[in-house]
């Protein structure tokens, strides 16, 4: 069988050798196509390869009745409509490891350039000036490096800068004590990194949790000699807060390769005299571009010829054969994982998943993968998917156990998720009720019954009269409407839990007022629909 592959963006020709030389594949290059032009020809192809220039829209996907694979020759897939592709049964793949070395080296280059004022000194001398005092730099030796995110690139930067004699503070929700010892780094919080670092580099995915992670609070705690680098994702550093901190002398400098809005030609940060900028060059090396092309070429062949998938960022029905009977349990697993991880104060070191009742007799592999994916997504973003979820769990040294018991625990089907990190434990029980759909029916020791909505407040308190009325009054005064309320308690007058589904996000100031209610101990806000909250 012959397969047609369309290359819609400039891709390394050497990297496409596997496809070009394969007798069953015909590769066609047509770059710079408009949406309508791509729509007109896409139905002739089995695979589409893009980088960042081409946006694969729902209109294009709907016309692609023959298409089986969309490949992003790089990491980010935000230019591909993954939901539409998934519904159409099209596998979306990327090349997550191809740019690791290039991004690592670019991060180090940015740090060195900033420490020694290389761009400014270069421009000055090119302009005919000879001013050595103006561009006096600083050594890296015995300085403290703060690293936020210890994935492959973060670890690569750590190892290289340790050779310069730098001390390293590292933050990652999944960085264990043993791993930190192995890396010879000190585990720290983001605040501690802000307070003690001379240089800070960020290497996390952009998620709701990491968006603006480095902002006003971070800069207000920083040393005035701090220099900060971002070669990861635009938006992790709040750009307006960065400019304010530089203008007020709270930090000394910054180096950015990524921006909140790209292209960033009109951005204030690209014009600021204390910020070194490059136009998203982290993966722009000859070697990296060749590696990502090789990666997607090999995988396209594996998928179309042998049905083997390694780097899918989605899991269409053609892979898992999801049917209508299992769909409610997939939704239940997604919901349970999202709620559980937000109630957990620290990243879990152990997961326990158990199935009871009729569901224990079925194949639960997809449900398990969905649970794990939804737990990891808060910190790993779109990097985690149904295919790589268990592998990433193992990569983070998080253990998990799976139990099945055909006996029923009060429900015909029952799923229990337990997240553990030493003394921090969150246990959720969930089920699918006929006529009511997915429900969470237990949180720790509290029996409850609710279906989470977009926003909810989970309140730990002591059971006493008047609490419900005071809560409603305060929320009403701040224009927060309560959609539903669910209560669980261990005994009359004892510890209790209140779950409020509300119509909008409740800011920290309102939560602080609620905590003044006599008997309130802790409030956790759980947000399920991240896109709506952005």
């Amino acid at each position: 069988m012959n397969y047609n592959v369309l290359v819609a963006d400039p891709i390394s020709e050497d990297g496409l050798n596997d496809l070009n030389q394969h007798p069953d594949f015909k590769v066609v290059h047509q770059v710079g196509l408009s949406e309508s032009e791509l729509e007109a020809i896409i139905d002739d192809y089995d695979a589409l390869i893009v980088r960042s220039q081409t946006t694969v829209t729902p209109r294009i996907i709907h016309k692609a009745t023959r298409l089986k694979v969309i490949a992003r020759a790089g990491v980010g897939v935000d230019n591909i409509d993954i939901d539409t592709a998934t519904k159409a049964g099209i596998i979306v793949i990327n090349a997550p490891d191809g740019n690791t070395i290039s991004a690592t080296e670019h991060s180090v280059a940015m740090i060195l350039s900033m420490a020694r004022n290389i761009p400014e000194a270069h421009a000055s001398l090119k302009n005919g000036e000879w001013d050595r005092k103006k561009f006096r730099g600083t050594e890296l030796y015995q300085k403290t490096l703060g690293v936020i995110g210890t994935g492959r690139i973060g670890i690569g930067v750590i190892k290289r800068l340790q050779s310069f004699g730098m001390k390293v503070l590292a933050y990652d929700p999944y960085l264990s004590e043993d791993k930190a010892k192995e890396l010879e780094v000190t585990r720290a919080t983001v605040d501690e990194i802000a307070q003690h670092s001379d240089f800070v580099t960020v290497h996390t995915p952009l998620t709701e949790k990491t968006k603006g992670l480095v902002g006003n609070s971070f800069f207000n705690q920083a040393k005035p000699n701090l220099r900060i680098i971002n070669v990861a994702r635009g938006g992790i550093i709040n750009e307006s807060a960065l400019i304010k901190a530089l203008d007020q002398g709270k930090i000394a400098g910054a180096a950015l390769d990524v921006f909140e809005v790209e292209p960033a030609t009109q951005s204030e940060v690209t014009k600021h005299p204390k910020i070194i900028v490059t136009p998203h060059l982290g993966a722009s090396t000859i070697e990296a571009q060749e590696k990502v092309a090789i990666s997607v070429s090999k995988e396209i062949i594996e998928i179309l010829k042998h049905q083997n998938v390694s780097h899918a960022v989605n899991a269409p029905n053609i892979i898992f054969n999801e049917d209508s009977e299992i769909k409610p349990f997939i939704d239940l697993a997604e919901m349970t994982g999202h709620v559980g991880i937000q109630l957990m104060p620290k990243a879990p070191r152990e997961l326990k998943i158990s199935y009871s009742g009729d569901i224990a007799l079925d194949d639960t592999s997809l449900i398990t993968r969905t649970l794990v994916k939804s737990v990891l997504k808060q910190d790993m973003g779109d990097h985690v998917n149904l295919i790589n979820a268990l592998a990433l769990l193992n990569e983070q040294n998080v253990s998990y156990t799976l139990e099945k018991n055909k006996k029923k625990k009060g429900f015909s089907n029952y799923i229990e998720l337990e997240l553990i990190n030493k003394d921090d434990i969150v246990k959720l029980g969930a089920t699918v009720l006929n006529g009511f759909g997915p429900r969470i029916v237990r949180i720790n020791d509290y029996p409850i019954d609710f279906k989470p909505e977009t926003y909810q407040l989970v309140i730990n308190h002591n059971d006493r009269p008047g609490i419900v009325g005071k809560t409603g009054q305060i929320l009403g005064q701040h224009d927060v409407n309560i959609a539903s309320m669910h209560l669980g308690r261990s005994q009359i007058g004892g510890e209790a839990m209140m779950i409020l589904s509300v119509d909008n996000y409740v800011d920290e100031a309102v939560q602080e007022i609620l905590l003044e209610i006599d008997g309130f101990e802790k409030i956790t806000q759980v947000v399920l629909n991240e896109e709506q909250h952005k």
Side-chain angles (χ1 to χ4, degrees):
M1 183 174 180
N2 293 322
Y3 301 97
N4 294 335
V5 180
L6 176 63
V7 179
D9 287 334
I11 305 290
S12 166
E13 193 64 39
D14 290 340
L16 295 173
N17 278 343
D18 286 312
L19 281 172
N20 288 327
Q21 296 174 8
H22 200 291
D24 294 337
F25 286 82
K26 179 183 178 181
V27 180
V28 177
H29 293 257
Q30 290 199 52
V31 301
L33 296 173
S34 67
E35 182 182 33
S36 58
E37 289 172 333
L38 191 50
E39 276 186 77
I41 65 171
I42 193 62
D43 200 34
D44 294 331
Y45 294 93
D46 303 279
L48 170 66
I49 302 177
V50 300
R51 286 189 65 198
S52 57
Q53 292 94 321
T54 298
T55 299
V56 186
T57 64
R59 283 174 51 186
I60 293 169
I61 293 170
H62 289 318
K63 294 286 186 179
T65 58
R66 178 174 169 178
L67 200 65
K68 299 293 187 295
V69 185
I70 301 171
R72 167 68 158 91
V75 180
V77 289
D78 50 342
N79 59 319
I80 301 170
D81 193 299
I82 295 176
D83 288 341
T84 304
T86 301
K87 292 173 183 176
I90 299 171
I91 301 171
V92 180
I93 64 171
N94 66 350
D97 303 325
N99 69 347
T100 298
I101 297 297
S102 293
T104 297
E105 292 181 353
H106 195 69
S107 300
V108 175
M110 295 287 262
I111 291 172
L112 289 168
S113 296
M114 189 164 44
R116 301 307 297 268
N117 300 307
I118 290 173
E120 301 94 325
H122 169 84
S124 175
L125 185 54
K126 284 286 187 179
N127 199 39
E129 302 169 351
W130 187 269
D131 193 341
R132 297 174 65 193
K133 292 183 179 179
K134 183 178 180 181
F135 302 112
R136 184 171 57 191
T138 183
E139 293 182 351
L140 301 185
Y141 180 64
Q142 291 191 338
K143 297 298 192 303
T144 298
L145 173 70
V147 179
I148 301 175
T150 56
R152 290 187 180 92
I153 296 172
I155 290 174
V157 173
I158 287 170
K159 290 179 177 178
R160 285 156 177 78
L161 291 178
Q162 282 174 328
S163 70
F164 281 73
M166 297 193 80
K167 298 174 287 185
V168 180
L169 300 177
Y171 166 77
D172 189 293
Y174 287 93
L175 178 62
S176 65
E177 293 176 6
D178 290 342
K179 185 65 175 180
K181 187 175 181 181
E182 176 188 328
L183 293 172
E184 297 182 334
V185 304
T186 301
R187 285 201 308 169
T189 65
V190 173
D191 286 345
E192 289 169 340
I193 286 175
Q195 294 159 11
H196 302 293
S197 298
D198 302 295
F199 292 83
V200 169
T201 180
V202 296
H203 299 285
T204 72
L206 181 64
T207 67
E208 190 64 26
K209 189 176 178 181
T210 62
K211 186 177 182 180
L213 180 66
V214 179
N216 287 319
S217 175
F218 187 95
F219 295 127
N220 288 338
Q221 300 177 74
K223 299 194 295 186
N225 67 316
L226 173 68
R227 294 169 172 86
I228 190 161
I229 302 91
N230 186 7
V231 185
R233 283 286 181 266
I236 299 170
I237 297 176
N238 182 303
E239 291 179 1
S240 61
L242 172 62
I243 291 173
K244 179 180 176 182
L246 288 167
D247 289 344
Q248 295 179 352
K250 292 181 178 179
I251 65 171
L256 304 178
D257 182 54
V258 290
F259 307 89
E260 291 178 355
V261 177
E262 297 184 5
T265 53
Q266 304 302 315
S267 171
E268 288 185 56
V269 294
T270 62
K271 301 173 176 61
H272 199 282
K274 293 183 179 180
I275 303 177
I276 295 171
V277 292
T278 51
H280 206 141
L281 299 181
S284 293
T285 61
I286 295 170
E287 295 83 357
Q289 294 310 306
E290 186 170 324
K291 287 175 187 174
V292 296
I294 291 172
S295 176
V296 297
S297 294
K298 288 182 180 295
E299 187 149 7
I300 285 172
I301 294 170
E302 282 296 306
I303 291 171
L304 294 180
K305 293 288 292 182
H306 309 294
Q307 291 75 53
N308 293 327
V309 184
S310 298
H311 295 117
V313 298
N314 67 340
N317 295 348
I318 58 173
I319 298 176
F320 289 110
N321 192 29
E322 179 184 322
D323 57 37
S324 58
E325 290 186 6
I326 199 173
K327 182 65 167 62
F329 293 98
I330 300 301
D331 295 340
L332 179 68
E334 189 87 28
M335 181 178 73
T336 303
H338 280 317
V339 173
I341 193 61
Q342 291 182 71
L343 293 177
M344 189 72 180
K346 299 177 183 177
R349 304 308 317 162
E350 182 180 357
L351 268 68
K352 292 182 179 180
I353 300 170
S354 64
Y355 299 97
S356 302
D358 296 339
I359 195 170
L361 304 175
D362 297 330
D363 180 4
T364 57
S365 57
L366 180 53
I367 301 172
T368 298
R369 287 176 178 272
T370 303
L371 274 167
V372 174
K373 184 201 75 170
S374 60
V375 167
L376 294 179
K377 188 173 181 179
Q378 175 177 258
D379 294 300
M380 298 187 182
D382 292 335
H383 180 52
V384 61
N385 56 65
L386 293 175
I387 293 172
N388 66 12
L390 297 179
L392 287 175
L393 197 69
N394 181 64
E395 189 177 288
Q396 300 300 328
N397 296 316
V398 179
S399 64
Y400 92 99
T401 57
L402 184 65
E403 294 182 357
K404 289 189 174 186
N405 188 341
K406 63 181 181 180
K407 293 183 179 179
K408 299 177 181 179
K409 292 188 175 181
F411 302 93
S412 59
N413 297 285
Y414 184 75
I415 300 174
E416 189 169 86
L417 170 67
E418 188 171 2
L419 308 175
I420 304 168
N421 186 328
K422 295 183 179 178
D423 294 333
D424 292 310
I425 299 174
V426 171
K427 183 186 293 186
L428 272 70
T431 188
V432 174
L433 295 177
N434 288 334
F436 296 95
R439 314 285 293 183
I440 291 179
V441 294
R442 177 171 291 274
I443 297 180
N444 293 336
D445 295 328
Y446 303 107
I448 45 135
D449 179 12
F450 79 108
K451 179 180 179 180
E453 304 295 340
T454 302
Y455 305 108
Q456 40 265 309
L457 297 178
V458 179
I459 304 171
N460 295 84
H461 63 95
N462 290 315
D463 181 35
R464 57 185 64 175
I467 277 185
V468 171
K470 292 176 183 177
T471 303
Q473 182 181 12
I474 291 172
L475 291 175
Q477 290 171 348
H478 292 86
D479 295 323
V480 178
N481 187 54
I482 299 174
S484 62
M485 176 181 293
H486 309 272
L487 298 169
R489 64 184 182 183
S490 55
Q491 60 183 5
I492 296 175
E495 294 182 349
M497 177 177 287
M498 181 192 309
I499 301 170
L500 302 175
S501 293
V502 293
D503 289 348
N504 50 287
Y505 189 81
V506 181
D507 61 37
E508 291 184 6
V510 177
Q511 291 184 49
E512 289 297 326
I513 295 173
L514 287 172
L515 283 170
E516 294 176 2
I517 295 175
D518 187 26
F520 272 26
E521 297 175 349
K522 179 183 177 183
I523 297 176
T524 305
Q525 185 153 222
V526 174
V527 180
L528 285 196
N529 189 336
E530 292 182 356
E531 292 300 321
Q532 183 173 330
H533 179 47
K534 287 180 181 178

